[in-house]
Structure formats: structure tokens, C-alpha cells
Amino acid sequence: MNERLLAALTVEEITHALHQMAPLKALGPDGFPAVFFQQNWPSVQHEARMWSKMGFMGLKLDMSKAYDKVEWGFLESAMLRMGFETKWVHLIMACVRSVHYSVLVNGNLVGDIRPSRGIRQGDPISPYLFLICAEVLSSLLTQAEQKGIITGVPTSPKGPKISHLFFADDSILFCKSNYVEWRRLLKILGIYEAGSGQKLNLEKTTIFFSRNTSLSRRAEILNLSGLTEARRFDTYLGLPALIGRSKNQAFQSIKERVGQKLTNWKVKFLSQAGKEVLLKAVVQAVPTYSMSVFLLPTTLCKDLNRLMQQFWWNHMASTSSIHWMSWEKMGRSKRCGGLGFMDLICFNKALLAKQG
């Protein structure tokens, strides 16, 4: 009962209480009569929402030579703190510390250089070790959000808030679009840099704002932070970081990549069997990654189908020719008289259903 009594007031409760009042009763000394709020309550609510709405910003981080600057002592401490057995940690660190270098001077090997930082790129275990380092930054950001130091971006009105997204050394951080939270975020990154040996590259770090961030606030943050605003065609993990009103424009690069593969001069010498392999194994694989994350526009899928259809019936995808069978029939399985080409629209939905 105490929890209910001390719970935060809701808009519904205020609305209910307001309309129970007599029209000429004031809400308090020197206050407007209730009829004013009863008649203007929707606009009052709108103003309250506008004040409570504050824009958010995302920072796409770029770490200078992320793998090369990992301090070994930091990596070892992080593994121990996460609860890995000491014997296992020492075994992993023995693998990490086994690296040494020599340099060629006038054709002769000179020196036995033994570094104190860095993890080898290309080694199968290196991405996992880097994730352990990134887990430290993740913990710092999570703690800061829990303490109210920074504010994560809400996924929905009552859904969870996200303060960061990590994929190996690709990172995006979120906070409210004001200079105070930017400084707090910068301080957290400074703590991580001091411990891990990582260094934020401000020249390549970009920032993007939500729509409800005013132009003046954007200019203020960009001016004080020294960062550049992300452009519409910037990517994250090979996908558009920002998608505007036109999805066709955002994913235009897929159509361009397909077109480039189909207009390559080498494809002129392919037989029909070779064309089938090219379309199925190469061209239809181009949009697969994007389709597993986004629902591509139907018009874009139809354009891709049209390019493949033109290429099948002619050597060049840009020229016209007679199509002796519809693409829909060619998409049927070979058992049913088709060639088994993929229906991109259905394939897109299947990939998203798999994610769900």
C-alpha cells in the first residue's frame, strides 16, 4: 500500500482528478480556476511532453589501432576480475606474451624486440580477448547509466534503454544531446583509455543527433566537442547508420553493387550455366546481410530482380531483350520446371522471421 501511495503520479490520475473539480474552484492560492485546465488540458499535456522530450545523440567511436594498444596488464586484470581461474589466465597470457619481433637492417636480422602491449590481429583468439577489454568499458557505461550519470536512449516509451552497442572494436554510445552528458561520457572514456591503453581518435569519431535536437544545440555540442556530424550515408558494420525517409536511397548501394557485378566484362563469356551460378552464388548473396536486419523496400527488391532477369536473357544487364519466361516461373524449384532463383521479397521476410 505504501508503494502505491508513494508511486509517481500518472497523467491519467491527474486528468481524472482535474475533471472531478468544480469549474470555478482554484487548484491553489493565486491559481487559475479548474475550468482553464479542463478546457486546455490537451495543450498543457503537450507542453509537458515537449519539456520532458529531450533529444539524444549517438557517438560512433573510432579507436586508434585498437588491437595494437591493448595493455597486457589490463587484459590480465580484466580476466581475473571477471572470475576466470588464475591458471587459465596465465596460460592465455603466456600465449599473448610469446610474441617478439626482429627487424631487417641491410639484409641482416637485428634485435629481439619484446613488446608489452597489443594482441595479434588474425589470431583466432584475439577478437575474444578484445571483447574482454570492451566488457570493461561496457561495465563503466552500464554503471554510469544506473547511477543517472548518463541517459540511455529508450527503445520504446516503456521499453529498456540502450547506452551502447558493441561489435568488437566498432562501438556506438548513446546519451542525451547536451554538453553536460557529453563531458561525462568523455570522462568515462578517459578512465577506460588510461587503463586499457586505447586512444579515442576524435578526428574519425562522428556524432549523430535525433530529430528533436534543435539546430542550435547541435551546433553547440559540435563546436565544444570538436567532432563532426555523421552524414546520411555513413555505415556501421556495413549497414546504414542512419535511415531517413527514403529507404530506397539508404540502400541504393546494394543496387549499385549488384549492377557492378553484372556489368563486369568477364561475364560476357559465361554460358547459361555459368550465369546461373553467378546469380545464385554471388549476386543473390549481396543483399543477404542487409536483409537479415532490415526490411528492404519492395521496389528495391523488384529492381534487383529486374537486373538479374535482364542479365539472364542478355549479356549486359543494361540492354533490353525478349524474356521468354517470367522471373516468377524461373523462381520455381527445378522439380517444378523452374531454375530455383530466389524470391528476394520472401527471402527478406524469412531472414527477419529467423531473427525474431
Side-chain angles (χ1 to χ4, degrees):
M1 186 184 294
N2 281 325
E3 287 178 359
R4 289 199 301 271
L5 291 170
L6 296 173
L9 293 173
T10 65
V11 174
E12 290 76 15
E13 288 175 329
I14 298 173
T15 304
H16 180 67
L18 182 63
H19 286 278
Q20 283 185 322
M21 296 183 65
L24 298 179
K25 295 290 185 180
L27 298 179
D30 303 322
F32 287 101
V35 67
F36 170 81
F37 292 98
Q38 290 169 357
Q39 292 179 356
N40 297 282
W41 183 237
S43 62
V44 172
Q45 283 182 290
H46 175 71
E47 285 296 320
R49 283 195 295 268
M50 290 300 292
W51 276 104
S52 63
K53 271 189 176 182
M54 183 173 288
F56 287 85
M57 61 184 184
L59 283 92
K60 184 183 175 187
L61 300 185
D62 183 88
M63 293 291 183
S64 300
K65 298 184 178 180
Y67 276 53
D68 297 336
K69 292 191 175 184
V70 174
E71 293 283 354
W72 290 349
F74 174 81
L75 176 61
E76 185 174 10
S77 299
M79 287 191 287
L80 291 170
R81 185 64 183 268
M82 290 175 71
F84 291 108
E85 286 290 339
T86 305
K87 184 178 179 180
W88 186 86
V89 173
H90 289 166
L91 180 64
I92 294 296
M93 293 310 299
C95 296
V96 172
R97 291 190 172 105
S98 65
V99 64
H100 60 95
Y101 305 103
S102 297
V103 293
L104 280 172
V105 179
N106 297 327
N108 299 317
L109 281 174
V110 178
D112 182 21
I113 304 169
R114 296 190 176 272
S116 61
R117 63 168 68 102
I119 50 180
R120 283 169 279 193
Q121 296 193 41
D123 192 297
I125 201 173
S126 292
Y128 297 99
L129 297 179
F130 190 85
L131 287 178
I132 290 173
C133 298
E135 185 66 24
V136 177
L137 177 58
S138 177
S139 299
L140 288 171
L141 293 167
T142 302
Q143 289 177 12
E145 185 189 359
Q146 291 173 349
K147 293 177 181 178
I149 297 173
I150 60 173
T151 310
V153 61
T155 56
S156 62
K158 295 185 179 180
K161 294 182 178 180
I162 297 175
S163 60
H164 57 283
L165 295 172
F166 287 170
F167 187 85
D169 58 340
D170 285 318
S171 314
I172 292 184
L173 313 184
F174 300 99
C175 66
K176 283 186 177 179
S177 50
N178 59 59
Y179 188 65
V180 174
E181 291 213 3
W182 154 248
R183 292 297 302 176
R184 292 172 179 173
L185 201 57
L186 199 61
K187 187 176 181 181
I188 295 169
L189 290 171
I191 295 171
Y192 176 67
E193 288 177 351
S196 66
Q198 301 285 295
K199 184 65 178 176
L200 185 65
N201 186 349
L202 292 177
E203 292 182 359
K204 293 185 178 180
T205 297
T206 54
I207 184 170
F208 53 90
F209 300 94
S210 61
R211 292 179 182 176
N212 55 343
T213 304
S214 64
L215 293 176
S216 59
R217 177 160 290 177
R218 295 185 190 196
E220 177 191 13
I221 294 171
L222 291 172
N223 183 44
L224 294 171
S225 65
L227 301 179
T228 56
E229 188 171 1
R231 295 166 293 183
R232 284 287 174 188
F233 46 83
D234 281 350
T235 60
Y236 174 67
L237 305 181
L239 298 172
L242 298 171
I243 296 178
R245 294 182 179 179
S246 174
K247 275 192 175 182
N248 274 317
Q249 187 177 358
F251 295 103
Q252 190 66 25
S253 59
I254 296 175
K255 186 176 176 181
E256 292 172 357
R257 285 168 59 197
V258 169
Q260 287 172 0
K261 292 186 180 296
L262 296 181
T263 54
N264 191 313
W265 68 271
K266 293 180 181 179
V267 302
K268 292 191 295 183
F269 306 105
L270 290 177
S271 63
Q272 292 300 108
K275 286 185 177 182
E276 180 185 352
V277 173
L278 177 69
L279 290 175
K280 288 182 178 178
V282 180
V283 174
Q284 290 188 339
V286 169
T288 300
Y289 179 49
S290 299
M291 283 180 167
S292 65
V293 182
F294 294 103
L295 182 64
L296 299 188
T298 304
T299 53
L300 177 61
C301 293
K302 289 181 177 178
D303 287 343
L304 297 178
N305 284 337
R306 192 177 299 111
L307 286 173
M308 291 188 288
Q309 189 177 15
Q310 289 173 349
F311 173 74
W312 176 261
W313 293 112
N314 198 17
H315 284 301
M316 301 300 290
S318 58
T319 56
S320 59
S321 59
I322 299 174
H323 298 179
W324 298 101
M325 184 181 289
S326 69
W327 190 252
E328 183 181 356
K329 289 182 179 179
M330 291 175 66
R332 295 174 183 171
S333 67
K334 291 188 177 181
R335 291 180 181 179
C336 300
L339 286 171
F341 289 116
M342 198 158 50
D343 183 339
L344 294 180
I345 297 174
C346 292
F347 184 61
N348 191 180
K349 293 178 181 178
L351 286 174
L352 294 176
K354 183 181 179 183
Q355 292 281 18

